[in-house]
Amino acid sequence: MYGDRETAQRILTESGDTWAVVGLSSNPSRAAYGVAAVLQRFGKRVVPVHPKAETVHGEQGYASLADIPFPVDVVDVFVNSSLAGAVADEAVAAGAKAVWFQLGVVDEEAYARTRAAGLDMVMDRCPAIEIPHLPARP
């Protein structure tokens, strides 16, 4: 409903390889930690975005999207739905190509704004679940 499998696959294969993961900390019991590891195994550069700005999976963390000193292709959002819309707006402002709201993260107004700004977006989906469904890469 909030981005079909085709859009999810396009984000994973065509939107670029630098993914800012908002809500990613060094806590291995959090879903973001495991999903970020899957993204790395899939060849993505994972940039942690968390108020603590911790280094996670070998990548320097940043306190906010605005603090990242290089372009980000996709913003993967692991925050409460009530906070996610602001993150989507920051992703648009930062020049990202796509926004991905994780399972359970839904903000229909943010989805509409982000799509209207020309970005691909999916909500309530997980890239770690979508990656195994991708067509084989040559």
Side-chain angles (χ1 to χ4, degrees):
M1 179 173 187
Y2 305 117
D4 53 45
R5 175 157 282 156
E6 181 180 308
T7 302
Q9 290 181 350
R10 186 172 53 250
I11 292 171
L12 284 163
T13 60
E14 299 174 19
S15 292
D17 292 332
T18 303
W19 284 51
V21 181
V22 178
L24 175 57
S25 71
S26 61
N27 183 344
S29 68
R30 303 293 297 185
Y33 189 89
V35 171
V38 170
L39 287 167
Q40 278 188 322
R41 287 194 300 273
F42 187 64
K44 304 301 182 188
R45 179 181 183 191
V46 172
V47 181
V49 179
H50 189 278
K52 294 181 182 178
E54 300 172 300
T55 296
V56 183
H57 298 306
E59 288 285 348
Q60 167 64 47
Y62 297 89
S64 71
L65 286 174
D67 292 338
I68 301 173
F70 48 83
V72 169
D73 300 311
V74 180
V75 177
D76 189 4
V77 182
F78 280 91
V79 300
N80 187 288
S81 294
S82 66
L83 304 173
V87 176
D89 294 340
E90 291 171 23
V92 171
K97 298 173 188 165
V99 175
W100 191 300
F101 280 9
Q102 282 293 326
L103 291 174
V105 181
V106 175
D107 181 329
E108 293 177 11
E109 292 176 5
Y111 181 84
R113 288 192 310 271
T114 302
R115 295 291 295 133
L119 282 69
D120 273 335
M121 183 170 179
V122 295
M123 294 192 300
D124 196 26
R125 296 185 88 112
C126 179
I129 293 170
E130 299 297 329
I131 287 171
H133 298 289
L134 290 173
R137 294 197 286 183

mmCIF file of all heavy atoms in Angstrom, residues 2 77-85 100-108 121-125:
data_model
loop_
_atom_site.group_PDB
_atom_site.id
_atom_site.type_symbol
_atom_site.label_atom_id
_atom_site.label_comp_id
_atom_site.label_asym_id
_atom_site.label_seq_id
_atom_site.Cartn_x
_atom_site.Cartn_y
_atom_site.Cartn_z
ATOM 1 N N TYR A 2 1.954 1.231 0.718
ATOM 2 C CA TYR A 2 2.816 2.420 0.840
ATOM 3 C C TYR A 2 4.116 2.225 0.079
ATOM 4 O O TYR A 2 5.181 2.552 0.556
ATOM 5 C CB TYR A 2 3.140 2.698 2.302
ATOM 6 C CG TYR A 2 1.933 2.849 3.171
ATOM 7 C CD1 TYR A 2 1.689 1.961 4.200
ATOM 8 C CD2 TYR A 2 1.031 3.888 2.970
ATOM 9 C CE1 TYR A 2 0.583 2.104 5.022
ATOM 10 C CE2 TYR A 2 -0.077 4.035 3.781
ATOM 11 C CZ TYR A 2 -0.294 3.138 4.801
ATOM 12 O OH TYR A 2 -1.380 3.288 5.602
ATOM 13 N N VAL A 77 14.583 4.678 7.953
ATOM 14 C CA VAL A 77 14.101 5.311 9.177
ATOM 15 C C VAL A 77 13.588 4.284 10.185
ATOM 16 O O VAL A 77 12.603 3.593 9.946
ATOM 17 C CB VAL A 77 12.994 6.336 8.847
ATOM 18 C CG1 VAL A 77 12.513 7.044 10.101
ATOM 19 C CG2 VAL A 77 13.501 7.346 7.818
ATOM 20 N N PHE A 78 14.289 4.208 11.321
ATOM 21 C CA PHE A 78 13.939 3.346 12.454
ATOM 22 C C PHE A 78 13.553 4.194 13.658
ATOM 23 O O PHE A 78 14.141 4.051 14.718
ATOM 24 C CB PHE A 78 15.140 2.484 12.861
ATOM 25 C CG PHE A 78 15.387 1.280 12.027
ATOM 26 C CD1 PHE A 78 16.221 1.344 10.925
ATOM 27 C CD2 PHE A 78 14.816 0.062 12.359
ATOM 28 C CE1 PHE A 78 16.479 0.215 10.179
ATOM 29 C CE2 PHE A 78 15.068 -1.069 11.609
ATOM 30 C CZ PHE A 78 15.897 -0.992 10.510
ATOM 31 N N VAL A 79 12.621 5.099 13.492
ATOM 32 C CA VAL A 79 12.146 5.892 14.629
ATOM 33 C C VAL A 79 10.632 5.773 14.704
ATOM 34 O O VAL A 79 9.979 5.331 13.756
ATOM 35 C CB VAL A 79 12.565 7.383 14.526
ATOM 36 C CG1 VAL A 79 14.082 7.528 14.489
ATOM 37 C CG2 VAL A 79 11.931 8.063 13.333
ATOM 38 N N ASN A 80 10.078 6.189 15.810
ATOM 39 C CA ASN A 80 8.638 6.160 16.008
ATOM 40 C C ASN A 80 7.941 6.941 14.900
ATOM 41 O O ASN A 80 8.438 7.967 14.446
ATOM 42 C CB ASN A 80 8.336 6.768 17.388
ATOM 43 C CG ASN A 80 6.894 6.644 17.763
ATOM 44 O OD1 ASN A 80 6.037 7.325 17.209
ATOM 45 N ND2 ASN A 80 6.620 5.769 18.702
ATOM 46 N N SER A 81 6.770 6.464 14.501
ATOM 47 C CA SER A 81 6.011 7.122 13.430
ATOM 48 C C SER A 81 5.792 8.609 13.698
ATOM 49 O O SER A 81 5.776 9.412 12.764
ATOM 50 C CB SER A 81 4.659 6.431 13.235
ATOM 51 O OG SER A 81 4.831 5.110 12.761
ATOM 52 N N SER A 82 5.644 8.991 14.972
ATOM 53 C CA SER A 82 5.398 10.398 15.297
ATOM 54 C C SER A 82 6.608 11.279 14.986
ATOM 55 O O SER A 82 6.470 12.494 14.835
ATOM 56 C CB SER A 82 4.999 10.548 16.762
ATOM 57 O OG SER A 82 6.078 10.193 17.610
ATOM 58 N N LEU A 83 7.789 10.691 14.872
ATOM 59 C CA LEU A 83 9.013 11.433 14.564
ATOM 60 C C LEU A 83 9.452 11.264 13.115
ATOM 61 O O LEU A 83 10.296 12.007 12.626
ATOM 62 C CB LEU A 83 10.151 10.955 15.476
ATOM 63 C CG LEU A 83 9.908 11.018 16.977
ATOM 64 C CD1 LEU A 83 11.045 10.347 17.733
ATOM 65 C CD2 LEU A 83 9.739 12.459 17.423
ATOM 66 N N ALA A 84 8.888 10.281 12.435
ATOM 67 C CA ALA A 84 9.380 9.897 11.115
ATOM 68 C C ALA A 84 9.147 10.965 10.049
ATOM 69 O O ALA A 84 9.972 11.135 9.149
ATOM 70 C CB ALA A 84 8.744 8.579 10.686
ATOM 71 N N GLY A 85 8.047 11.694 10.121
ATOM 72 C CA GLY A 85 7.760 12.717 9.124
ATOM 73 C C GLY A 85 8.834 13.782 9.068
ATOM 74 O O GLY A 85 9.240 14.204 7.976
ATOM 75 N N TRP A 100 12.990 5.233 3.194
ATOM 76 C CA TRP A 100 12.449 3.924 3.538
ATOM 77 C C TRP A 100 12.041 3.948 5.007
ATOM 78 O O TRP A 100 12.878 4.107 5.868
ATOM 79 C CB TRP A 100 13.529 2.866 3.331
ATOM 80 C CG TRP A 100 13.024 1.466 3.390
ATOM 81 C CD1 TRP A 100 12.397 0.853 4.432
ATOM 82 C CD2 TRP A 100 13.100 0.494 2.349
ATOM 83 N NE1 TRP A 100 12.078 -0.435 4.113
ATOM 84 C CE2 TRP A 100 12.496 -0.678 2.834
ATOM 85 C CE3 TRP A 100 13.623 0.507 1.053
ATOM 86 C CZ2 TRP A 100 12.414 -1.843 2.071
ATOM 87 C CZ3 TRP A 100 13.540 -0.648 0.305
ATOM 88 C CH2 TRP A 100 12.934 -1.802 0.814
ATOM 89 N N PHE A 101 10.733 3.824 5.273
ATOM 90 C CA PHE A 101 10.240 3.711 6.647
ATOM 91 C C PHE A 101 10.123 2.226 6.970
ATOM 92 O O PHE A 101 9.482 1.466 6.241
ATOM 93 C CB PHE A 101 8.863 4.362 6.800
ATOM 94 C CG PHE A 101 8.861 5.870 6.934
ATOM 95 C CD1 PHE A 101 9.990 6.637 6.749
ATOM 96 C CD2 PHE A 101 7.684 6.515 7.248
ATOM 97 C CE1 PHE A 101 9.963 8.024 6.868
ATOM 98 C CE2 PHE A 101 7.631 7.907 7.373
ATOM 99 C CZ PHE A 101 8.767 8.651 7.185
ATOM 100 N N GLN A 102 10.704 1.844 8.071
ATOM 101 C CA GLN A 102 10.757 0.441 8.474
ATOM 102 C C GLN A 102 9.396 -0.109 8.887
ATOM 103 O O GLN A 102 8.424 0.636 9.018
ATOM 104 C CB GLN A 102 11.740 0.284 9.639
ATOM 105 C CG GLN A 102 13.179 0.297 9.186
ATOM 106 C CD GLN A 102 13.549 -0.908 8.350
ATOM 107 O OE1 GLN A 102 13.062 -2.014 8.534
ATOM 108 N NE2 GLN A 102 14.431 -0.699 7.399
ATOM 109 N N LEU A 103 9.345 -1.398 9.140
ATOM 110 C CA LEU A 103 8.124 -2.054 9.593
ATOM 111 C C LEU A 103 7.548 -1.305 10.788
ATOM 112 O O LEU A 103 8.260 -0.982 11.736
ATOM 113 C CB LEU A 103 8.409 -3.507 9.995
ATOM 114 C CG LEU A 103 8.769 -4.455 8.860
ATOM 115 C CD1 LEU A 103 9.170 -5.813 9.428
ATOM 116 C CD2 LEU A 103 7.620 -4.600 7.885
ATOM 117 N N GLY A 104 6.260 -1.011 10.721
ATOM 118 C CA GLY A 104 5.588 -0.322 11.817
ATOM 119 C C GLY A 104 5.699 1.186 11.777
ATOM 120 O O GLY A 104 5.082 1.870 12.581
ATOM 121 N N VAL A 105 6.486 1.729 10.862
ATOM 122 C CA VAL A 105 6.658 3.181 10.760
ATOM 123 C C VAL A 105 5.802 3.673 9.598
ATOM 124 O O VAL A 105 6.065 3.353 8.440
ATOM 125 C CB VAL A 105 8.135 3.577 10.556
ATOM 126 C CG1 VAL A 105 8.268 5.098 10.478
ATOM 127 C CG2 VAL A 105 9.000 3.008 11.678
ATOM 128 N N VAL A 106 4.763 4.437 9.935
ATOM 129 C CA VAL A 106 3.806 4.916 8.936
ATOM 130 C C VAL A 106 3.453 6.372 9.224
ATOM 131 O O VAL A 106 3.144 6.725 10.358
ATOM 132 C CB VAL A 106 2.518 4.054 8.953
ATOM 133 C CG1 VAL A 106 1.470 4.628 8.007
ATOM 134 C CG2 VAL A 106 2.826 2.606 8.609
ATOM 135 N N ASP A 107 3.541 7.194 8.196
ATOM 136 C CA ASP A 107 3.091 8.585 8.260
ATOM 137 C C ASP A 107 2.627 8.944 6.849
ATOM 138 O O ASP A 107 3.450 9.254 5.970
ATOM 139 C CB ASP A 107 4.222 9.501 8.729
ATOM 140 C CG ASP A 107 3.800 10.956 8.842
ATOM 141 O OD1 ASP A 107 2.917 11.397 8.074
ATOM 142 O OD2 ASP A 107 4.375 11.673 9.675
ATOM 143 N N GLU A 108 1.327 8.856 6.622
ATOM 144 C CA GLU A 108 0.774 9.051 5.289
ATOM 145 C C GLU A 108 1.048 10.452 4.749
ATOM 146 O O GLU A 108 1.294 10.622 3.548
ATOM 147 C CB GLU A 108 -0.719 8.746 5.283
ATOM 148 C CG GLU A 108 -0.998 7.277 5.522
ATOM 149 C CD GLU A 108 -2.478 6.943 5.584
ATOM 150 O OE1 GLU A 108 -3.313 7.810 5.239
ATOM 151 O OE2 GLU A 108 -2.790 5.803 5.971
ATOM 152 N N MET A 121 9.627 6.228 -2.196
ATOM 153 C CA MET A 121 9.441 5.980 -0.768
ATOM 154 C C MET A 121 8.607 4.728 -0.565
ATOM 155 O O MET A 121 7.683 4.455 -1.325
ATOM 156 C CB MET A 121 8.757 7.160 -0.095
ATOM 157 C CG MET A 121 8.612 6.983 1.403
ATOM 158 S SD MET A 121 8.057 8.496 2.196
ATOM 159 C CE MET A 121 7.956 7.928 3.901
ATOM 160 N N VAL A 122 8.972 3.987 0.460
ATOM 161 C CA VAL A 122 8.155 2.886 0.949
ATOM 162 C C VAL A 122 8.015 3.039 2.456
ATOM 163 O O VAL A 122 8.879 3.627 3.112
ATOM 164 C CB VAL A 122 8.728 1.489 0.595
ATOM 165 C CG1 VAL A 122 8.732 1.267 -0.908
ATOM 166 C CG2 VAL A 122 10.117 1.300 1.168
ATOM 167 N N MET A 123 6.908 2.536 2.976
ATOM 168 C CA MET A 123 6.666 2.558 4.425
ATOM 169 C C MET A 123 6.258 1.165 4.871
ATOM 170 O O MET A 123 5.713 0.380 4.086
ATOM 171 C CB MET A 123 5.528 3.516 4.788
ATOM 172 C CG MET A 123 5.801 4.956 4.524
ATOM 173 S SD MET A 123 4.586 6.081 5.285
ATOM 174 C CE MET A 123 3.059 5.601 4.542
ATOM 175 N N ASP A 124 6.515 0.903 6.144
ATOM 176 C CA ASP A 124 6.071 -0.344 6.773
ATOM 177 C C ASP A 124 6.629 -1.560 6.041
ATOM 178 O O ASP A 124 5.946 -2.548 5.851
ATOM 179 C CB ASP A 124 4.531 -0.374 6.830
ATOM 180 C CG ASP A 124 3.998 -1.424 7.797
ATOM 181 O OD1 ASP A 124 4.721 -1.777 8.754
ATOM 182 O OD2 ASP A 124 2.871 -1.904 7.592
ATOM 183 N N ARG A 125 7.895 -1.455 5.621
ATOM 184 C CA ARG A 125 8.599 -2.552 4.949
ATOM 185 C C ARG A 125 10.013 -2.614 5.499
ATOM 186 O O ARG A 125 10.504 -1.662 6.089
ATOM 187 C CB ARG A 125 8.656 -2.340 3.443
ATOM 188 C CG ARG A 125 7.283 -2.342 2.767
ATOM 189 C CD ARG A 125 7.435 -2.261 1.270
ATOM 190 N NE ARG A 125 7.574 -3.606 0.741
ATOM 191 C CZ ARG A 125 6.665 -4.209 -0.013
ATOM 192 N NH1 ARG A 125 5.564 -3.583 -0.339
ATOM 193 N NH2 ARG A 125 6.852 -5.418 -0.464
#
